[in-house]
Amino acid sequence: MTIVAIEPATPERWADLERLFGPTGAYGHCWCVYFRRRAKEFTASVSCTPAERGGSNREALQRVTLDGRVPGLIAYDGSEPCGWVSVAPREDFVRLARSRSLRPADPDEPDVWSLVCFWLPPRRRRKGMGSQLLDGAIEHARASGGRILEAYPVDTAGGRAPSAEVYTGTVRMFQKAGFTCAPHPGSGRPVARLTLKDD
């Protein structure tokens, strides 16, 4: 597989992102807004009728994208969208600020970016594309003024886990990319951090 490019999800690429996620919106109608919406809003969006399920999530991601705020990056194999990583300034992800297990130790720390999700179609998984998307996210955050890139991986102890459980990436993957992983002071959940620019 050859990835020609990893590109920002800009307004002109909305149709590509929509095609990539398909009718179910990636992970069960999530549309990669789980961390962008308050819990009550997100729960309501996926617990309505099957015909309506995920509709408001799709609209929320579309609104962010068409407003030009770049919610993440799209990988392309030729002209075909084939992968996604959600990376943006940490303040864009309202659920992080409210999360007991991931709440920032210093919410006022400047220029921190967060990487909250990867999504690959099943036939694209386990081929190294996640690492390529991670490299793209690092460069995008750095070029956009990020000073720290933070992520919230799962520790699989070097083994494998179902894709739906490791959508935030694995500790091993981030460590290989140079991140330092440490337990969250409140929950013990792994938090990965990489310095992008020296102070």
Side-chain angles (χ1 to χ4, degrees), residues 77 86 98 100 109 113 154 157 177:
D77 181 2
S86 180
R98 295 167 169 260
R100 290 181 182 168
E109 186 180 19
W113 280 53
V154 174

Side-chain angles (χ1 to χ4, degrees), residues 19-195:
R19 190 162 85 244
L20 175 66
F21 281 1
T24 60
Y27 293 111
H29 306 281
C30 175
W31 285 93
C32 207
V33 295
Y34 177 84
F35 286 101
R36 290 179 176 273
R37 305 192 83 180
R38 290 179 170 80
K40 187 175 181 180
E41 293 174 322
F42 185 84
T43 300
S45 75
V46 294
S47 52
C48 49
T49 67
E52 300 169 328
R53 193 165 293 148
S56 66
N57 287 337
R58 178 191 167 282
E59 290 166 8
L61 183 62
Q62 183 179 34
R63 194 165 42 251
V64 170
T65 307
L66 297 185
D67 284 350
R69 285 182 277 162
V70 185
L73 308 175
I74 304 169
Y76 288 87
D77 181 2
S79 61
E80 185 65 24
C82 61
W84 163 257
V85 60
S86 180
V87 59
R90 186 168 66 186
E91 61 266 20
D92 286 8
F93 302 107
V94 296
R95 193 174 288 219
L96 291 176
R98 295 167 169 260
S99 169
R100 290 181 182 168
S101 62
L102 295 174
R103 182 179 296 132
D106 180 1
D108 298 320
E109 186 180 19
D111 304 320
V112 178
W113 280 53
S114 289
L115 187 162
V116 298
C117 183
F118 295 90
W119 191 78
L120 300 166
R123 69 187 180 89
R124 302 283 187 172
R125 296 172 188 165
R126 304 195 192 283
K127 297 181 178 179
M129 191 184 299
S131 294
Q132 292 180 60
L133 281 163
L134 176 54
D135 290 344
I138 292 168
E139 291 312 309
H140 174 70
R142 181 180 286 122
S144 301
R147 187 180 56 83
I148 299 283
L149 180 57
E150 190 173 87
Y152 318 97
V154 174
D155 189 354
T156 62
R160 288 189 171 183
S163 296
E165 292 178 16
V166 293
Y167 67 93
T168 56
T170 65
V171 166
R172 184 175 178 203
M173 172 186 187
F174 283 95
Q175 287 175 331
K176 285 174 69 177
F179 285 70
T180 299
C181 293
H184 185 277
S187 67
R189 189 170 162 180
V191 176
R193 285 170 63 94
L194 179 69
T195 300

